[in-house]
Amino acid sequence: MSQPKVLVLLSGCGVFDGAEINETVLTLLALEESGITYQCFAPNKPQFHTINHLKGEVQEQARNVLEESARIVRGNVSALSELNEQEFSALIIPGGFGVAKNLSTFAVDGADFSIDFEFQQVMTTFASKKKPVGYMCIAPVLLPKVYNGVRCTIGHDEKTASVINGLGGLHVDCPVDNIVIDNDYNVVT
């Protein structure tokens, strides 16, 4: 059997408008320390908006999700459009509001959100092949759109948990230092 390779999908750079930096860096470190090969990808499209992380305010500045994702991984990221899913045995999505703003419209549309077309294709392909996936932080809210009846967690956020349940998922309250595993779908949250 060939060496497993993990796809890490990023949504920009920065907790309020992109991928959460700590979640991303610690994920990549854990993969490296475990001897697991990975490659990062991100959509090549404009960010929903840009946040000044020092002041917490929206800036009148356009940025690109792929270019911002490159900041975290020192340029070692490819456009999602270049992805060959067959090369990867697992998928990890670090959290951060980029998931809710750049990979989906959850931040604006709530329960009526849509998922970025390219990203939804990736989600659907991994789901259909039951490849292992890990979704962090806010990212699990996307799962019920692809995995019918999926068991997952976003922690203890009742409002987001009700969205997951309303979309047909099964939210499980979980402390931040634990995980929820759906063995039927190979989903870890």
Side-chain angles (χ1 to χ4, degrees), residues 2 6-7 10 42 48 79 85 100 102 123:
S2 64
V6 175
L7 161 61
L10 303 176
F48 173 74
E85 171 276 324
N102 300 324
M123 290 179 70

Side-chain angles (χ1 to χ4, degrees), residues 46-175:
Q47 280 190 185
F48 173 74
H49 64 202
T50 301
I51 300 290
N52 176 329
H53 283 71
L54 185 60
K55 296 180 179 181
E57 300 169 350
V58 176
Q59 291 184 308
E60 296 301 320
Q61 182 180 54
R63 292 192 180 177
N64 178 283
V65 176
L66 179 61
E67 291 172 4
E68 288 300 294
S69 297
R71 290 175 181 269
I72 300 176
V73 293
R74 298 179 174 182
N76 189 17
V77 61
S78 298
L80 188 54
S81 60
E82 298 172 9
L83 174 67
N84 176 359
E85 171 276 324
Q86 294 177 2
E87 295 178 7
F88 298 91
S89 55
L91 165 67
I92 297 177
I93 311 295
F97 284 104
V99 171
K101 296 175 179 179
N102 300 324
L103 298 183
S104 74
T105 63
F106 178 69
V108 175
D109 298 330
D112 295 325
F113 72 91
S114 60
I115 299 172
D116 173 87
F117 180 75
E118 275 185 321
F119 177 49
Q120 186 159 356
Q121 287 182 305
V122 172
M123 290 179 70
T124 302
T125 299
F126 274 76
S128 69
K129 296 182 179 180
K130 292 199 174 190
K131 291 184 177 186
V133 297
Y135 284 62
M136 297 180 200
C137 192
I138 192 65
V141 75
L142 308 179
L143 290 169
K145 292 269 188 164
V146 173
Y147 296 85
N148 187 34
V150 66
R151 289 180 75 245
C152 60
T153 190
I154 48 85
H156 297 291
D157 178 346
E158 290 181 28
K159 186 176 178 183
T160 306
S162 70
V163 171
I164 289 171
N165 291 331
L167 292 172
L170 174 62
H171 182 266
V172 179
D173 278 351
C174 182

